[in-house]
Amino acid sequence: MKPSFSIICLRISLLFLCIFSFLTGFSQENTNVIESYATYSKLPREIAYVHLNKSIYIKGECIGFSAYILDKNTKKPSSITTNLYCTVSNKDRSIVKSQMIKVNNGYAVGTFDVNEDFTSGDYTFMAYTNWMKNFDEQNIFVESIKIIDPETDNIIKSETIENNLDAQFLPEGGHLVADIQNTIGIVVKNTEGFGVPQITGEILDNTNTAVSSFKTNDLGIGRVLLTPIIGQSYTAKIEHLGKTFNFNISDIKPRGIALSLTDLGKNVAIKLSTNTSTLSDIKNNTYKLAIHNGNEMKVIDFGFENLDVLKLIKKQDLNPGINIFTVFDKTNKPLLERLYFNHDKVNIRSVNNPKVTKDFDSLKVSFSVNKLSANTKHNMSVSVLHSDTKSYGSHQNIASYTLLQPYVNGYIENGAYYFQNIDRKKKYELDNLLITQGWSSYDWNTIFNKPPTNTFVFENGIGFQANINSKKSNQFLMFALRESKGDVFVVGDSEKSFIKTGLFPSDNEKLNIGEINSKGKMDEPNLYIQFSPSKIPEYINSYKVLKPNSIPYTVATQIQPFASSILDGTQELDEVLIEAKREETRMEQLERRAAGTLDFFDDRKRRSNRTLAQYLSRKGFVTSDYGGILTITVRNPLTPNNTTPVVYLNGSLLSDFGFLATFDMNSVDYIEINKSGVGEGMRGGAGVIKLWTDPNIQFRSQYGENYKDYEFPLTFSKAKTFYTPKYNFYKSQFFKEYGVVGWKPKVVLDTDGIARFQVFDTSNDYIKIFVEGIDNDGNFIIDEKIITVN
């Protein structure tokens, strides 16, 4: 039974003379704990989180995902991580799919085809960096997904779960001490490892007398108060679905210390209690109460003059999010530990007023985000499913996975629940969960004796060392990649190698290097190249995960997935392409993805367009480069008071056109012009111009084409356009429960503060959007909304 607020206040008033200020009692004796912890936490940490478009996939679909890499301390997007490894493994931990993707300012997107490599079963999606391998804490992302192969499983039906309960009774702080009122956390699970909702039970002593009762919440978690007496035995009795379960409550300590934490609103009360038989032995001992969050630690001393010691701590002195309270004895041995979540300064933004309108065969969806302006840098991803979906069963969202999961042992069932529509009930339930967690993921034996080292390096792109077997000159030219500039290496007569780091090759790109001879032309070099990284590093540590959230099935669902065989279109063909067809294929791919018209440049076109102003004026834009300043406008913009088009250079939005007056047209690969501005919101009313360059054009013209290709053993995977399948029936039970309406991995607010995207109209009355994201200030964006389709 939870004590009333008035009883709590009475206890505090009676013990007020024992209250210590937060920093009172700091002494040199704490040095060992503080120094060990400082050494352990010295290396910076990051956390990976991945928003999957759903959790249950039909073979032939596509796994769409957005990855968020956050600084573990600030909870803000990482500005330094670039290499993220994503894998999908089967139940034997064999990797079925893998890729390396590039992270830009803490954000990346990717896709995996659920093709013939998969069979029906449970799989694990992981995302991590090489640097994360240095730490035992769960900083990586790991989540369970389910694949269904309709060729072998043509019906999805309910599973019968045996009525067999597992109940755990876990004392707050870690010890159940006799003759003291102890708070005990309760977890009741089924054979699948999921919490059993609304379980009621009672605790009986050895005379079969009920001394306390309890009830769990919808996740099978609760708490109970118990004052055990030496010599008594206690049993928890639970009746469920006509069956009685009895669980012994054992390991009652005759001597020791118990810990109890109470949230008082603006303050947190930590009560440390002992019994009479223990007090005489520990009365002159000094103990330490350490408070940390994986980064910073504060330590205060205390001792027992009476049976109870109370510490009253202001929440403003605690860390936002998780705080780990640990009690040490005079030898720095950890005795008790309690996790507490401080909601102060944890900000979660929700979605406002989602709307949908029909436009031919499409739905246009728009929404704003509470307290988020378009001027604040942010990233969001949105999964769109039918409102009756059973395929979105992730246990986590970006807040629960970064604020909670890394600090606990084990996997949190439905952690996302605690960070949506937060109220007093949710906070109380989260605190009950933390009581049941016992010791945190920060192992004190490791902290004192085995601090992490930077064994696994922090990677920044791909690097290589070129070992020179023989040379004709001392100069080597490396051609540019799509996302990396070219370089010239000048080596000394006695030097046998040269190195380069920070390259970002993608997909089938190759490293092109030539040796510059005495005539200023290129010859093929004689080099042996060593790349790093050369393969996706294996993550050895394993973490327990739960299957996707269990949703009750009402009927068996017939799988009637697709209007045509998706697998036929996703199978990888042998790479047999006619040489003359390669560029045509590339053009076709670019044109298919483009929102506007593409104009590919050759040498003739580059010579005929000496300036960008000249080229754009021929395309109907009004240009002027008077005084070395280029202006670009349109005569009839689609939106009033906006006559300047949006301009991108190699994918980057230009805030001004200052240097475009001297833009070198000799490096242009192609230009995309989208006069309608589709995809850019209100700012695209004057159209969009996208410039794409290839600096290697100049290299080949100046030095010739006698160079050598070196194949990268590992490249960055470019995010493919997410493929939304076409289904046989959009009114079927199968589509409503497992189908995909859309996946939008990159959604941002336009200048009006509105997020807009478009999906296919399935002619159903309701859709559901799952929104996740974060802004650069570390504020989370999380919401689920059902939208009525007009």
Side-chain angles (χ1 to χ4, degrees):
M1 180 182 298
K2 183 182 176 184
S4 69
F5 184 79
S6 59
I7 294 174
I8 292 171
C9 292
L10 177 61
R11 290 174 183 166
I12 291 173
S13 63
L14 292 175
L15 294 167
F16 192 79
L17 293 177
C18 299
I19 294 176
F20 293 85
S21 67
F22 184 53
L23 297 177
T24 298
F26 182 83
S27 72
Q28 194 63 32
E29 291 180 6
N30 296 324
T31 302
N32 187 29
V33 173
I34 294 174
E35 288 185 355
S36 296
Y37 184 81
T39 301
Y40 179 83
S41 59
K42 182 177 181 180
L43 293 179
R45 270 85 155 170
E46 292 179 321
I47 302 173
Y49 173 73
V50 175
H51 181 199
L52 298 168
N53 72 303
K54 58 177 188 167
S55 304
I56 301 177
Y57 298 89
I58 310 302
K59 188 174 178 179
E61 291 182 336
C62 183
I63 300 173
F65 63 91
S66 293
Y68 299 83
I69 310 300
L70 309 182
D71 181 287
K72 191 173 184 180
N73 178 30
T74 65
K75 304 299 187 292
K76 296 180 180 180
S78 169
S79 60
I80 54 177
T81 285
T82 59
N83 299 24
L84 182 69
Y85 302 102
C86 299
T87 66
V88 181
S89 304
N90 61 24
K91 62 181 180 180
D92 298 322
R93 296 199 67 191
S94 297
I95 294 177
V96 179
K97 291 282 186 182
S98 64
Q99 59 182 236
M100 177 177 67
I101 58 177
K102 184 183 178 184
V103 180
N104 290 300
N105 296 316
Y107 186 69
V109 300
T111 58
F112 280 120
D113 291 329
V114 185
N115 57 16
E116 71 281 355
D117 295 330
F118 292 90
T119 58
S120 289
D122 297 320
Y123 292 81
T124 301
F125 189 111
M126 294 178 66
Y128 54 92
T129 66
N130 191 56
W131 179 256
M132 291 176 185
K133 295 171 64 179
N134 290 309
F135 310 103
D136 290 334
E137 309 121 41
Q138 187 176 322
N139 300 326
I140 73 164
F141 175 80
V142 55
E143 181 73 284
S144 178
I145 62 174
K146 186 178 183 65
I147 307 293
I148 299 173
D149 184 351
E151 293 184 3
T152 58
D153 298 312
N154 58 5
I155 293 179
I156 306 173
K157 52 188 177 181
S158 59
E159 299 177 8
T160 301
I161 299 176
E162 183 181 355
N163 183 19
N164 191 14
L165 302 183
D166 174 34
Q168 294 179 299
F169 297 84
L170 305 159
E172 183 176 13
H175 293 304
L176 185 59
V177 183
D179 300 326
I180 298 174
Q181 186 182 69
N182 294 258
T183 302
I184 301 175
I186 303 168
V187 183
V188 183
K189 298 182 178 181
N190 60 26
T191 55
E192 295 291 311
F194 290 99
V196 182
Q198 302 300 321
I199 288 289
T200 58
E202 55 186 3
I203 298 178
L204 310 174
D205 63 16
N206 55 359
T207 67
N208 211 34
T209 301
V211 295
S212 192
S213 62
F214 58 87
K215 182 178 181 180
T216 68
N217 64 1
D218 288 340
L219 295 171
I221 297 173
R223 74 166 75 180
V224 67
L225 296 177
L226 178 66
T227 305
I229 300 172
I230 289 295
Q232 291 272 15
S233 60
Y234 296 88
T235 302
K237 180 181 178 182
I238 295 173
E239 292 186 356
H240 181 61
L241 300 178
K243 189 176 179 181
T244 301
F245 299 88
N246 293 304
F247 302 92
N248 292 328
I249 298 177
S250 57
D251 198 25
I252 300 172
K253 307 289 185 183
R255 300 159 59 81
I257 301 171
L259 180 151
S260 177
L261 182 149
T262 303
D263 190 328
L264 301 177
K266 293 184 179 181
N267 302 301
V268 172
I270 303 292
K271 181 183 176 184
L272 299 150
S273 303
T274 189
N275 54 27
T276 304
S277 61
T278 307
L279 180 62
S280 59
D281 291 336
I282 67 172
K283 202 167 187 179
N284 296 320
N285 294 347
T286 300
Y287 293 87
K288 304 178 183 68
L289 176 64
I291 308 170
H292 79 94
N293 64 346
N295 180 59
E296 297 179 347
M297 174 182 279
K298 298 171 183 177
V299 177
I300 50 178
D301 290 344
F302 71 93
F304 282 90
E305 295 296 328
N306 301 293
L307 293 176
D308 298 304
V309 175
L310 191 71
K311 299 288 185 180
L312 194 63
I313 302 170
K314 294 180 180 178
K315 283 188 181 178
Q316 66 185 32
D317 292 328
L318 297 176
N319 303 297
I322 279 290
N323 290 262
I324 303 169
F325 294 82
T326 311
V327 175
F328 295 88
D329 67 13
K330 61 183 179 182
T331 66
N332 290 323
K333 177 183 176 181
L335 303 177
L336 305 163
E337 194 156 271
R338 168 71 148 90
L339 281 71
Y340 169 75
F341 194 91
N342 180 19
H343 286 83
D344 290 5
K345 299 181 182 178
V346 174
N347 296 314
I348 297 178
R349 314 294 194 206
S350 57
V351 167
N352 297 322
N353 305 319
K355 298 178 181 179
V356 62
T357 57
K358 292 187 176 184
D359 184 20
F360 297 102
D361 63 348
S362 298
L363 299 177
K364 291 184 175 180
V365 183
S366 62
F367 60 82
S368 61
V369 177
N370 183 38
K371 296 182 180 180
L372 179 65
S373 69
N375 297 326
T376 303
K377 290 185 178 180
H378 60 280
N379 288 296
M380 283 188 294
S381 42
V382 182
S383 179
V384 189
L385 305 171
H386 191 277
S387 60
D388 294 339
T389 187
K390 293 180 179 178
S391 64
Y392 196 92
S394 174
H395 289 276
Q396 307 286 353
N397 58 31
I398 189 170
S400 67
Y401 204 88
T402 56
L403 295 173
L404 183 62
Q405 184 61 56
Y407 302 95
V408 302
N409 283 314
Y411 192 80
I412 301 297
E413 177 189 352
N414 204 0
Y417 165 80
Y418 302 99
F419 294 92
Q420 291 176 297
N421 304 315
I422 300 172
D423 55 17
R424 289 183 63 183
K425 177 176 178 287
K426 287 278 182 76
K427 292 179 181 180
Y428 177 72
E429 290 181 317
L430 176 55
D431 198 53
N432 283 349
L433 168 73
L434 294 177
I435 289 175
T436 68
Q437 293 305 302
W439 296 88
S440 75
S441 62
Y442 290 83
D443 180 78
W444 285 102
N445 181 58
T446 302
I447 292 173
F448 284 129
N449 302 306
K450 299 177 183 177
T453 59
N454 53 351
T455 304
F456 302 100
V457 300
F458 198 98
E459 297 170 335
N460 180 24
I462 300 287
F464 71 81
Q465 177 173 307
N467 302 291
I468 305 171
N469 296 324
S470 63
K471 59 184 178 181
K472 301 174 184 177
S473 71
N474 289 346
Q475 291 190 70
F476 296 86
L477 173 66
M478 184 196 80
F479 279 64
L481 303 171
R482 282 192 287 267
E483 294 191 35
S484 304
K485 295 180 180 180
D487 205 349
V488 175
F489 303 91
V490 180
V491 298
D493 292 337
S494 60
E495 291 184 72
K496 298 295 184 182
S497 64
F498 57 91
I499 62 173
K500 178 70 175 179
T501 59
L503 301 178
F504 295 94
S506 59
D507 296 329
N508 295 320
E509 273 193 295
K510 294 182 179 180
L511 176 66
N512 299 326
I513 299 180
E515 185 176 7
I516 303 175
N517 61 31
S518 58
K519 296 180 181 180
K521 297 296 181 181
M522 278 192 296
D523 291 327
E524 285 194 14
N526 186 3
L527 304 173
Y528 170 64
I529 308 291
Q530 294 174 294
F531 293 94
S532 179
S534 59
K535 62 180 181 179
I536 290 181
E538 181 182 3
Y539 196 90
I540 299 174
N541 288 356
S542 62
Y543 299 103
K544 182 179 179 181
V545 293
L546 289 172
K547 294 178 181 180
N549 253 327
S550 177
I551 300 175
Y553 297 95
T554 54
V555 294
T557 303
Q558 179 76 36
I559 297 179
Q560 301 170 320
F562 312 118
S564 59
S565 177
I566 292 179
L567 290 178
D568 292 343
T570 57
Q571 289 174 345
E572 293 185 5
L573 303 178
D574 293 336
E575 192 172 350
V576 182
L577 296 176
I578 300 174
E579 185 75 22
K581 189 70 175 175
R582 284 184 178 175
E583 186 63 22
E584 180 183 354
T585 302
R586 172 176 174 265
M587 290 181 181
E588 290 172 349
Q589 291 174 346
L590 291 171
E591 286 172 343
R592 187 164 55 251
R593 298 172 183 170
T597 302
L598 299 187
D599 191 3
F600 293 90
F601 276 58
D602 55 19
D603 289 341
R604 181 190 61 78
K605 190 171 288 186
R606 294 184 188 97
R607 287 193 298 268
S608 63
N609 294 280
R610 303 309 302 173
T611 67
L612 182 60
Q614 180 186 25
Y615 172 80
L616 292 177
S617 65
R618 292 174 177 174
K619 296 297 180 179
F621 293 92
V622 179
T623 63
S624 170
D625 59 358
Y626 178 77
I629 299 175
L630 176 65
T631 59
I632 309 170
T633 57
V634 295
R635 292 183 176 88
N636 299 304
L638 298 178
T639 54
N641 303 319
N642 179 19
T643 61
T644 302
V646 176
V647 180
Y648 288 87
L649 176 60
N650 294 327
S652 298
L653 178 65
L654 301 181
S655 57
D656 64 74
F657 308 152
F659 72 95
L660 291 182
T662 57
F663 181 73
D664 186 0
M665 298 295 287
N666 287 321
S667 64
V668 173
D669 186 10
Y670 63 93
I671 296 176
E672 177 184 344
I673 295 178
N674 174 12
K675 290 190 176 181
S676 69
V678 172
E680 290 293 331
M682 298 295 291
R683 69 182 180 185
V688 182
I689 302 168
K690 294 183 178 181
L691 310 173
W692 297 92
T693 65
D694 181 358
N696 292 331
I697 294 170
Q698 294 176 295
F699 285 169
R700 294 188 185 97
S701 175
Q702 181 176 353
Y703 298 108
E705 299 193 21
N706 195 18
Y707 54 85
K708 190 171 182 178
D709 291 336
Y710 297 91
E711 190 168 336
F712 287 96
L714 181 65
T715 58
F716 290 88
S717 296
K718 279 287 186 182
K720 299 176 183 177
T721 301
F722 179 82
Y723 178 74
T724 304
K726 294 181 179 179
Y727 298 86
N728 275 325
F729 306 105
Y730 288 97
K731 297 287 189 177
S732 69
Q733 194 69 17
F734 165 76
F735 174 76
K736 292 177 181 180
E737 294 180 353
Y738 298 100
V740 176
V741 179
W743 165 247
K744 302 298 174 182
K746 292 183 178 181
V747 178
V748 294
L749 304 184
D750 61 19
T751 53
D752 296 325
I754 304 296
R756 308 174 195 271
F757 61 86
Q758 194 166 303
V759 294
F760 178 68
D761 183 3
T762 64
S763 298
N764 283 289
D765 294 332
Y766 303 96
I767 60 174
K768 190 172 185 178
I769 60 173
F770 299 84
V771 184
E772 298 206 31
I774 193 169
D775 66 23
N776 276 20
D777 295 325
N779 301 306
F780 298 103
I781 305 165
I782 304 168
D783 214 338
E784 299 177 8
K785 285 285 193 296
I786 293 177
I787 307 175
T788 302
V789 179
N790 298 322

